[in-house]
Amino acid sequence: MRLKLAVFDVDGTLVDSRQVIHRAMTRAFERAGLGEIAYDRVRTIVGLELTEAVLRLAPADYPAERIPELATYYKQAFVEQRAETGFSEPLYEGAKDTVERLADEGWLLGVATGKARRGLDIVFDHHGLHRYFQTFQTVDHGPGKPHPRMVLDAMAETGAAPAETVVIGDTSFDMEMARAAKTRALGVAWGFHTPDEIEAGGAHEIHHDYDGLNAALDAFADGLEGDAA
C-alpha cells in the first residue's frame, strides 16, 4: 500500500498570521530606528529563516553586524504581542477540518515552516494540532526555505517517497522547496504571496480555498492508489 504524505507550511497556509507578522516587523524596525515598514514588503519574505528575512528587508546601508539585533527585536515584538489583550493567530477556515480528515483517511502529515520549533509549538498547542502530525520540520536544525532540507527530512522520518509526497504552501519559497525535493507542489492563494508569485515558484496547481485544495489532495491520493493497483 502506498504512503501518502502531506507537508504543510504554517504561516499563510494553516494560520492567518498576516497582521501579527506585519505588526511585529514594524515594531522591530521602529525599535531599530528604521521607521514603519509596509505590509507589501513584509509579505514577500514570510517563510524564510528570520535572519535571512530581515536581511532582505533592511536598507542596503544597514550595518551587517546589526542584522542579528534586528532579528531579536522581531522575536521580542512577537512575544510582546502574544501577551496583549486581543492577540489572535486564527486558523484559516477549513484548515483544521482538512487536517482531521486527512489524518482519519490514513495520510501522514508534516510541517515545514520558517518558524522556530518553540513558536510552532505555541501555535499548535493553542489550536490542538500536534496529535495529527508525524513530522515537524523547522529552521532549528538546518537550512530553511527554499532549500529542500525540511521536505527531505520529513520524507526520511516518515518513509515516504517523493512520488508519495505533496507540499502545500502559500509562497514561492514553498514551491521551490517542493520542486527541489521532487515532490508535488500545491500552492494556496489566501496567504502572503500572489498567485503569480506562487506560479513563478513552480506550483503544479494553485487553489483559492480549502475545498479546492481538498479535491486536489483526493486526486493525488487516487493517483497513488491507481499506481499501486
Side-chain angles (χ1 to χ4, degrees):
M1 185 174 179
R2 301 291 296 272
L3 298 177
K4 300 173 293 187
L5 171 62
V7 180
F8 284 87
D9 168 59
V10 177
D11 291 313
T13 300
L14 292 173
V15 178
D16 185 356
S17 48
R18 289 171 291 183
Q19 290 185 1
V20 295
I21 286 176
H22 179 223
R23 193 178 300 125
M25 193 64 75
T26 292
R27 291 183 184 183
F29 269 56
E30 290 175 342
R31 199 163 294 173
L34 297 173
E36 186 175 355
I37 183 166
Y39 170 78
D40 202 48
R41 290 195 63 213
V42 174
R43 70 167 189 81
T44 65
I45 54 78
V46 175
L48 296 174
E49 184 274 329
L50 180 57
T51 302
E52 173 67 18
V54 296
L55 177 62
R56 293 194 185 193
L57 291 178
D61 60 352
Y62 193 72
E65 63 271 16
R66 293 193 63 193
I67 291 297
E69 177 185 61
L70 185 56
T72 297
Y73 288 157
Y74 174 84
K75 288 186 281 189
Q76 291 171 344
F78 217 104
V79 171
E80 291 167 3
Q81 282 191 87
R82 285 200 172 105
E84 293 171 0
T85 301
F87 175 80
S88 176
E89 280 183 291
L91 296 177
Y92 286 101
E93 184 178 356
K96 192 166 187 178
D97 288 343
T98 296
V99 166
E100 290 176 340
R101 180 182 76 85
L102 295 177
D104 287 344
E105 293 180 2
W107 283 74
L108 299 168
L109 299 181
V111 167
T113 177
K115 289 181 177 294
R117 182 61 191 258
R118 180 179 178 274
L120 175 65
D121 285 343
I122 290 171
V123 173
F124 271 36
D125 283 345
H126 177 73
H127 291 293
L129 291 175
H130 275 107
R131 65 184 183 274
Y132 301 110
F133 289 80
Q134 288 74 45
T135 181
F136 303 87
Q137 302 301 327
T138 67
V139 294
D140 299 83
H141 303 297
K145 302 170 187 179
H147 193 282
R149 190 270 310 173
M150 289 192 282
V151 178
L152 296 174
D153 285 354
M155 291 190 293
E157 284 191 7
T158 59
E164 299 170 325
T165 302
V166 58
V167 174
I168 301 115
D170 68 301
T171 71
S172 61
F173 311 127
D174 297 307
M175 303 300 99
E176 292 171 28
M177 176 179 65
R179 286 285 195 164
K182 303 187 185 307
T183 69
R184 189 77 176 163
L186 296 185
V188 299
W190 52 76
F192 288 94
H193 283 193
T194 66
D196 286 347
E197 291 165 341
I198 298 167
E199 182 178 15
H204 290 103
E205 303 173 32
I206 300 175
H207 299 282
H208 295 267
D209 55 39
Y210 264 97
D211 287 342
L213 177 61
N214 275 284
L217 292 170
D218 288 345
F220 181 82
D222 288 345
L224 290 177
E225 291 176 6
D227 290 343

